[in-house]
Amino acid sequence: MNPYIVGAVFPLIVLLLRHSNNNRKRRGLPADVAGEPGYAVRNHRSASLMSSAWEGVTTLAELFERACREHQHRLLLGTRVLISTDIETSHDGRTFEKLHLGEYQWLTYGKVFESVCSFASGLAVLGHLREERAAIFADTRERWFIALQGCFRRNVTVVTIYASLGQEALSHSLNETEVTTVICGRRELKSLVDTCGQLDSVKRVICMDDDIPSDALSAHGWVVTSFADVERLGRENPVDPDLPLSADVAVIMYTSGSTGLPKGVMMTHGNVLATVSSVMTIVPNLGPKDVYLAYLPMAHILELVAENLIASVGGCIGYGTPLTLTDTSNKIKKGKQGDATALMPTVMAAVPAILDRVRDGVFKKVNAKGGLSKKLFDLAYARRLQAIKGSWFGAWGLEKALWQFLVFRKVQAILGGRIRFILSGGAPLSGDTQRFINICLGAPIGQGYGLTETCAGGTFSDFDDTSVGRVGPPLPCSYIKLIDWSEGGYSTNDSPMPRGEIVIGGPNVTLGYFKNEEKTKESYKVDERGTRWFYTGDIGRIHKDGCLEIIDRKKDIVKLQHGEYVSLGKVEAALLVSPLVDNIMLHADPFHSYCVALVPVSHPALEEWASKQGIPYSEFSDLCRKEETVKGVHASLVKEAKKARLEKFEIPAKIKLLSDPWTPDSGLVTAALKIKRDVIRKTFQEELSELYAS
Ligand SMILES: *[C@@H]1O[C@H](CO)[C@@H](O)[C@H](O)[C@H]1NC(C)=O
Ligand SMILES: *[C@@H]1O[C@H](CO)[C@@H](O)[C@H](O)[C@H]1NC(C)=O
Ligand SMILES: CC(=O)N[C@H]1CO[C@H](CO)[C@@H](O)[C@@H]1O
């Protein structure tokens, strides 16, 4: 055949195939379920719900032991050695710690298994009874994983607590679960000592760092032992394991809810195993070649599932922290390697807020460079965008390779250059950021939707699905059902697709809230066939191909004085696009006819804006108070609102600019960087009433 014809026809065929593929591929299929009537779907891969991907494996303890036998000599856990710490002082007198970190040092599966068995025995030798609960309260690190697996081998339920939760939440969760052993780092031990007046049940503390602060040693009659000593005790006095069953509670996870005290979600071994199994069937070719960069809090279900997953397939896990991820991260000494460049991971997990930051960082760099290199980047980006959206040129592999070589290679080097898959969860990811990651990192994103209460089970997008804004079909372990919510105007009979409150069912759905029958009854139901369902309070719609899209949250829809409904989350997402803002909280109430907003501004962007406008100011906070600044930021928000076609009543009529960002440390956002409305409302009560008064 004439080569020219081949050249012209081949891409056309690919295009047609791809189109028919995308249009016809049913990723979720209608499911026959019991319980409250609604529209239900399941994963296309299997008609019955999956509970384990490994024959004969029913608990996380069995799964880990199996992997250690199979991959004995492969590397499992890696941690970087600390070479030096410098303290730098900035011109305004604040001090920063800068780290020089070395190469990763690795433990094999075999060695980790020995440590886990020793730790399990040591725990028993210390006197921890198996029906007592232990808490792990620390940042993500090697010993976190070892302690977790050690507890599993003794059928000890592990209570997890975010390291950034406040004192009140800490004492509440330790007290409620009557924890007797706390496993923590040196820094967390200090906050424990500060809270200790209220901790009646704690008898012993295991400190992951060897240099135990001396004031902790004598405090409050606790027995404080170093992690290394516990392992040594266990090595010298081995104790038989006491393995759990599938229905035994593996973890009680305290979630930093956006209201009130945290609630402990009880998850069984079977629950977590179902999610781990399901995610494994969806991420393509996960195996011993994979290297995972671990830096999200282990107390987040996404990270807990991810680490157990990687350790089940023979992959390796290298530990890092959010502040040392890249070469330019805050805590990395200039000129030294960040975690990603030292590890060169193939798989990472991320929450959307982190991916948004990566995107903004790259665009900022490109814009700062300007000139030809910006033109080249923009062109490359536009071409790849076109290609991914399925246009004709998408089939030209050569062009892709060219842009890859000229432009995207440098972006990919930021994360080590080998990323092939990113798991995203915790909140919906914006379409823009998803495209950015697809294009610049050349990697698919598996976007998951799930909650702690469903053990992160729910939905997960297929790696070959190039659409944006959706969270995929149900995981093989979950049913997704929409039920009518008439008050909010959502119905499963809506066209073009059914809409309603999302309810998740299956073996992944957890037992409920610890010692909180009332809240459990409110959100969990068991149907006549014995399937457990969790009522998420999220509003979604299901596309023709069986994929879910999250469109709203029940709690975040407020009725204004004249009866219009405002969806706070939807409006915030639209306004956040403004480059001048760092975050935003929209406030609406039934006593007023308009909304207002609190807006922590983007420090560098606003300074740049002010200098362009020629607005003089002494302090940054002073700039934020100026009327012309407020007007400027408001105008920018209105512009974004119009682009997103928001209604007039949805646009905040008045705003208050805040000069300080909202961070997890301040308690105003969760560790996953979701805003905590109630806390923010309380903290800024005065500002809010001023907005309505003026
Ligand atoms: C594991 O521990 C729980 C709680 O103490 C207990 O109810 C259960 O029977 C134990 N499982 C086994 C297999 O012993
Ligand atoms: C701890 O729990 C007990 C009951 O288990 C309760 O009576 C007590 O008030 C709690 N203390 C704190 C500080 O929460
Ligand atoms: C693995 C697991 O926990 N399976 C449970 C799923 O839910 C049903 C019904 O509630 C239980 O019977 C299973 O044991």
Side-chain angles (χ1 to χ4, degrees), residues 171-172 175-176 178 198-200 515:
S171 58
H172 166 73
N175 185 48
E176 190 173 67
E178 297 159 67
Q198 300 143 34
L199 301 177
D200 304 332
K515 285 192 188 161

Side-chain angles (χ1 to χ4, degrees), residues 492-546:
T492 52
N493 293 320
D494 286 343
S495 76
M497 50 187 114
R499 303 190 299 174
E501 181 183 356
I502 302 165
V503 187
I504 302 180
N508 54 323
V509 171
T510 57
L511 294 181
Y513 301 114
F514 186 72
K515 285 192 188 161
N516 200 336
E517 193 88 6
E518 193 189 333
K519 275 261 158 33
T520 303
K521 273 204 187 128
E522 238 173 73
S523 309
Y524 293 83
K525 285 192 185 132
V526 181
D527 70 21
E528 56 274 27
R529 293 189 205 159
T531 305
R532 288 180 74 79
W533 295 92
F534 179 73
Y535 287 66
T536 65
D538 289 329
I539 304 294
R541 58 181 189 180
I542 293 181
H543 289 248
K544 238 201 198 98
D545 62 354

Side-chain angles (χ1 to χ4, degrees), residues 345-645:
T346 62
V347 183
M348 271 177 85
V351 293
I354 290 181
L355 296 176
D356 286 344
R357 271 185 211 163
V358 172
R359 184 197 62 173
D360 293 348
V362 170
F363 279 137
K364 211 186 286 166
K365 245 187 182 164
V366 169
N367 286 332
K369 264 195 178 159
L372 186 63
S373 98
K374 176 169 159 52
K375 283 214 177 83
L376 197 62
F377 182 89
D378 289 347
L379 178 64
Y381 196 87
R383 296 290 293 186
R384 290 301 303 145
L385 189 61
Q386 222 176 10
I388 283 187
K389 282 184 178 163
S391 89
W392 212 78
F393 291 99
W396 296 98
L398 193 63
E399 183 181 341
K400 180 178 174 188
L402 179 73
W403 293 130
Q404 165 66 15
F405 179 76
L406 285 179
V407 179
F408 301 123
R409 205 169 33 125
K410 289 177 209 140
V411 180
Q412 289 160 19
I414 298 173
L415 291 177
R418 289 204 305 175
I419 293 286
R420 69 175 190 91
F421 200 85
I422 292 182
L423 296 151
S424 167
L429 181 66
S430 80
D432 281 355
T433 303
Q434 187 182 336
R435 283 282 191 239
F436 170 86
I437 299 288
N438 288 155
I439 292 173
C440 292
L441 295 184
I445 297 187
Q447 219 196 134
Y449 163 73
L451 300 97
T452 308
E453 286 87 344
T454 62
C455 216
T459 68
F460 200 84
S461 60
D462 285 331
F463 73 98
D464 62 346
D465 183 358
T466 54
S467 65
V468 295
R470 316 187 308 165
V471 291
L475 276 169
C477 63
S478 312
Y479 292 129
I480 298 289
K481 179 156 71 175
L482 299 181
I483 56 170
D484 290 349
W485 184 43
S486 45
E487 198 186 321
Y490 292 110
S491 158
T492 52
N493 293 320
D494 286 343
S495 76
M497 50 187 114
R499 303 190 299 174
E501 181 183 356
I502 302 165
V503 187
I504 302 180
N508 54 323
V509 171
T510 57
L511 294 181
Y513 301 114
F514 186 72
K515 285 192 188 161
N516 200 336
E517 193 88 6
E518 193 189 333
K519 275 261 158 33
T520 303
K521 273 204 187 128
E522 238 173 73
S523 309
Y524 293 83
K525 285 192 185 132
V526 181
D527 70 21
E528 56 274 27
R529 293 189 205 159
T531 305
R532 288 180 74 79
W533 295 92
F534 179 73
Y535 287 66
T536 65
D538 289 329
I539 304 294
R541 58 181 189 180
I542 293 181
H543 289 248
K544 238 201 198 98
D545 62 354
C547 289
L548 179 71
E549 181 183 348
I550 314 293
I551 51 179
D552 231 321
R553 208 165 150 73
K554 249 172 148 176
K555 262 204 316 235
D556 294 347
I557 300 176
V558 183
K559 198 170 168 185
L560 291 177
Q561 204 172 24
H562 299 318
E564 303 99 338
Y565 282 98
V566 177
S567 158
L568 303 177
K570 180 189 88 181
V571 175
E572 283 160 356
L575 301 183
L576 256 180
V577 178
S578 159
L580 296 180
V581 313
D582 188 51
N583 214 330
I584 188 164
M585 191 190 83
L586 192 73
H587 180 77
D589 71 44
F591 305 106
H592 294 94
S593 57
Y594 59 93
C595 315
V596 298
L598 296 169
V599 184
V601 290
S602 159
H603 201 128
L606 197 66
E607 277 184 334
E608 201 185 313
W609 175 86
S611 80
K612 262 195 204 142
Q613 304 286 318
I615 300 175
Y617 61 95
S618 49
E619 300 268 321
F620 186 64
S621 53
D622 172 44
L623 175 64
C624 292
R625 271 192 298 269
K626 285 190 182 244
E627 201 175 319
E628 47 204 316
T629 318
V630 175
K631 268 196 184 144
V633 174
H634 191 255
S636 155
L637 293 179
V638 170
K639 196 172 126 200
E640 297 306 336
K642 290 206 167 131
K643 262 197 235 161
R645 301 218 193 100

Side-chain angles (χ1 to χ4, degrees), residues 14-29:
V14 171
L15 175 77
L16 290 176
L17 278 178
R18 180 197 298 219
H19 257 264
S20 57
N21 220 5
N22 266 355
N23 282 343
R24 275 206 217 120
K25 186 157 181 181
R26 299 282 315 238
R27 301 171 191 277
L29 298 173

Side-chain angles (χ1 to χ4, degrees), residues 64 67-77 107-115 288 309-317:
F64 183 62
C68 289
R69 260 194 319 241
E70 191 175 333
H71 304 288
Q72 185 143 20
H73 301 294
R74 288 189 206 280
L75 304 180
L76 172 55
L77 303 181
L107 293 175
T108 60
Y109 277 79
K111 282 279 176 233
V112 173
F113 192 66
E114 271 173 33
S115 276
L309 172 62
I310 298 292
S312 70
V313 298
C316 46
I317 300 173

